[in-house]
């Protein structure tokens, strides 16, 4: 055997290590096997450039004609987008590549061939893409958004898990409303009327009195007849609830929490934020303390800007957008007129017409991402509110009980995951923030 034969033989024998694209840096110079799909390709006469995706990322595979069997080269050249493939090759550093590495491909096995994938690199309309949502999130940008969503959810859970909160799941099928009766999705619970939950709050209040600090995280439902860029019919919410806190302490937890989530995405999701083309200098400013603006002051800001607004109304999306122009980071609007808010909110003893509540508004026009506040903890006051709001007393008996047995000042909040993802990713519309959006007039796929 000559020396050069030995080299070839050794090269062929080196076993391929199973690898994922997100961890590819660990394999520099090594021969790896990647199980994935063909994202895109381009061929010159002598080289096939294969964009390979494996779910964790995209890498460019370079297949040189004279380095692989001729059948392999021809097969790769005619492969359609989204064909399933297993590729082996050697990882090489390349600073021109998005992820900093390329793959010198030496073998390719086709698992299943595709030749008419509907979402091509050209532009498609939003309706077409939403009709193909089951495929759309394979696309680079959508894929990156879903990965950021996943990291945001992990960060939310870690924040509370690491700080002594107990996960306390709330039911999805409920006998009563939490956030007003106008947008309930009704269903039947055998012979009884039931509703899909709008919020787990009432249940986590029971949890807080049992465990001190709890949170629930789950899907929530609102039949909102509004077609805006921030409304979904089904969205996910994380709702912590804490015993023995007041409104100010509640806001302190929120700013610490949101700073943590944003800074974690900034440190762990660099590649994804780059793909989405997010201006991260805006996110770097998300550091506490967040400004606090009383509702009254917010109304003054609007009036100064020439907006016709009546004290007592709740802010609409357009008002929030105008308010966000004043700040470079999230901020709180607190002490809204009680009349405009939910029945369970505690009144401000200093001004009984105001509720001890706050919303957190995200900057850059995004608006409300969190709603929360201190809860009414007095039995008689709460019963009065239930009656004023014409809620069925019977369905709230258990909730009123919480004010009879060991009632304490308590509060909490709910952060909407989709609005948070939209803001962190800098997206125009919440429809791109959840795998399968439920919108007015769309429940497919
Ligand atoms: O302000 P909301 O209605 O507050 C509550 O449900 C309280 N019970 C939460 C609590 O104190 N535990 O909703 C909270 C958040 C909003 O700030 C927003 O981020 C999100 O939930 N949200 C929606 N997101 C998408 N589509 C919708 N239709 C939403 N409605 C609310
Ligand atoms: Mg709200």
């Amino acid at each position: 055997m000559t020396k050069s034969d030995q080299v070839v033989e050794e090269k062929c024998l080196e076993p391929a290590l199973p690898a994922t694209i997100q961890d590819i840096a660990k394999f520099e110079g090594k021969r790896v096997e990647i199980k994935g799909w063909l994202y895109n390709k381009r061929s010159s006469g002598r080289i096939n450039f294969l964009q390979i995706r494996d779910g964790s990322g995209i890498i460019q595979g370079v297949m040189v004609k004279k380095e692989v069997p001729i059948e392999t080269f021809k097969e790769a050249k005619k492969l359609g987008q989204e064909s399933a493939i297993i590729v082996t090759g050697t990882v090489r550093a390349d600073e021109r590549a998005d992820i900093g590495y390329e793959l010198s491909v030496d073998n390719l096995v086709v698992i299943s061939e595709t030749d008419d994938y509907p979402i091509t690199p050209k532009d498609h309309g939003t309706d077409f893409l939403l009709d193909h949502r089951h495929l759309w999130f394979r696309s680079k940008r959508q894929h990156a958004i879903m990965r950021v969503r996943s990291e945001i959810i992990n960060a939310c859970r870690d924040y509370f898990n690491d700080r002594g909160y107990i996960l306390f799941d709330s039911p999805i099928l409920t006998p009563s409303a939490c956030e007003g009766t106008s947008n309930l999705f009704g269903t039947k619970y055998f012979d009884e009327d039931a509703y899909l939950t709008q919020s787990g709050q009432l249940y986590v209040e029971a949890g807080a009195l049992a465990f001190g600090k709890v949170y629930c995280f789950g899907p929530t439902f609102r039949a909102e007849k509004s077609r805006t860029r921030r409304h979904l019919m089904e969205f996910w919410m994380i709702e912590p609830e804490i015993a023995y806190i007041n409104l100010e302490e509640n806001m302190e937890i929120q700013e610490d929490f949101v700073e943590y989530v944003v800074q974690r995405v900034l440190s762990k999701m660099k590649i994804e934020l780059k793909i989405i083309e997010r201006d991260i200098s805006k996110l770097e400013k998300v550091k506490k303390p967040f400004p606090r603006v009383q509702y009254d002051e917010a109304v003054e800001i609007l009036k100064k800007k020439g907006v016709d607004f009546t004290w007592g109304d709740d802010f609409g999306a357009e008002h929030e957008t105008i308010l966000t122009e004043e700040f470079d980071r999230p901020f709180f609007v607190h002490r809204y007129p009680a009349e405009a808010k939910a029945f369970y909110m505690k009144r401000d003893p200093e001004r009984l017409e105001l509720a001890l509540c706050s919303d957190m508004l995200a900057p850059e026009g995004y608006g409300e991402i969190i709603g929360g506040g201190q809860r009414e903890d007095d039995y008689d006051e709460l019963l009065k509110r239930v009656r004023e709001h014409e809620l069925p007393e019977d369905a709230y008996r258990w909730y009123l009980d919480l004010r009879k047995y060991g009632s304490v000042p308590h509060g909490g909040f709910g952060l909407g995951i989709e609005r948070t993802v939209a803001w962190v990713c800098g997206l125009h519309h919440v429809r791109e923030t959840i795998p399968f959006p439920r919108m007015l007039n769309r429940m497919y796929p």
Side-chain angles (χ1 to χ4, degrees), residues 18-55:
T20 57
I21 295 168
Q22 70 182 346
D23 289 332
I24 212 68
K26 294 182 197 155
F27 296 90
E28 187 180 345
K30 300 257 169 18
R31 186 163 180 258
V32 297
E33 176 184 84
I34 291 177
K35 295 180 168 168
W37 297 265
L38 183 67
Y39 186 67
N40 202 353
K41 72 161 197 291
R42 151 176 89 76
S43 296
S44 75
R46 4 169 251 112
I47 305 179
N48 289 324
F49 295 98
L50 310 172
Q51 300 289 326
I52 304 148
R53 63 168 197 92
D54 73 343

Side-chain angles (χ1 to χ4, degrees), residues 205-261:
E205 285 186 54
L209 296 182
F211 299 93
K213 303 199 281 189
V214 298
Y215 72 94
C216 67
F217 176 58
T220 46
F221 306 86
R222 300 201 190 167
E224 316 239 31
K225 289 254 160 65
S226 44
R227 195 203 294 267
T228 75
R229 66 195 193 93
R230 52 173 90 176
H231 283 95
L232 292 169
M233 305 305 121
E234 181 178 313
F235 62 96
W236 288 66
M237 185 154 52
I238 188 151
E239 296 180 89
E241 189 74 21
I242 305 110
Y244 288 107
I245 59 161
N246 60 26
L247 179 67
E248 182 54 36
E249 290 160 321
N250 195 32
M251 289 193 275
E252 284 165 14
I253 296 167
Q254 293 171 48
E255 63 189 353
D256 192 57
F257 166 57
V258 169
E259 176 188 302
Y260 171 85
V261 170

Side-chain angles (χ1 to χ4, degrees), residues 5 17 69 83 102 125 134 144 170 204 239-241 255 264 378:
D5 282 345
L17 304 164
S83 294
E102 268 193 359
H134 50 297
S170 53
V204 285
E239 296 180 89
E241 189 74 21
E255 63 189 353
R264 178 151 141 188
D378 180 81

Side-chain angles (χ1 to χ4, degrees), residues 341 359 368 371:
K341 292 287 180 181
D359 282 353
E368 183 190 341

Side-chain angles (χ1 to χ4, degrees), residues 160-309:
F160 294 111
N161 289 340
D162 293 347
R163 286 163 182 76
Y165 287 71
I166 295 295
L167 173 65
F168 188 82
D169 298 314
S170 53
I172 305 242
L173 289 166
T174 63
S176 53
C178 177
E179 295 299 323
T181 48
S182 62
N183 60 14
L184 285 168
F185 273 113
T187 181
K188 277 291 183 199
Y189 193 76
F190 305 105
D191 294 333
E192 277 178 70
D193 286 329
Y195 310 97
L196 298 183
T197 184
Q198 298 165 306
S199 158
Q201 181 198 316
L202 307 187
Y203 295 95
V204 285
E205 285 186 54
L209 296 182
F211 299 93
K213 303 199 281 189
V214 298
Y215 72 94
C216 67
F217 176 58
T220 46
F221 306 86
R222 300 201 190 167
E224 316 239 31
K225 289 254 160 65
S226 44
R227 195 203 294 267
T228 75
R229 66 195 193 93
R230 52 173 90 176
H231 283 95
L232 292 169
M233 305 305 121
E234 181 178 313
F235 62 96
W236 288 66
M237 185 154 52
I238 188 151
E239 296 180 89
E241 189 74 21
I242 305 110
Y244 288 107
I245 59 161
N246 60 26
L247 179 67
E248 182 54 36
E249 290 160 321
N250 195 32
M251 289 193 275
E252 284 165 14
I253 296 167
Q254 293 171 48
E255 63 189 353
D256 192 57
F257 166 57
V258 169
E259 176 188 302
Y260 171 85
V261 170
V262 171
Q263 296 306 318
R264 178 151 141 188
V265 171
L266 271 176
S267 73
K268 291 189 76 172
M269 297 276 107
K270 288 198 178 71
I271 292 176
E272 286 78 5
L273 293 172
K274 193 170 160 197
I275 292 171
I276 304 165
E277 297 178 330
R278 179 61 165 125
D279 177 356
I280 59 168
S281 70
K282 297 265 177 16
L283 298 177
E284 280 160 354
K285 295 199 182 107
V286 181
K287 290 278 168 69
K288 63 180 189 181
F290 297 172
R292 286 139 168 80
V293 187
Q294 191 157 336
Y295 171 87
D296 288 355
E297 299 167 57
V299 172
E300 285 312 308
I301 295 175
L302 288 176
K303 285 190 171 158
K304 264 197 210 118
K305 294 200 159 205
V307 181
D308 183 22
F309 188 86

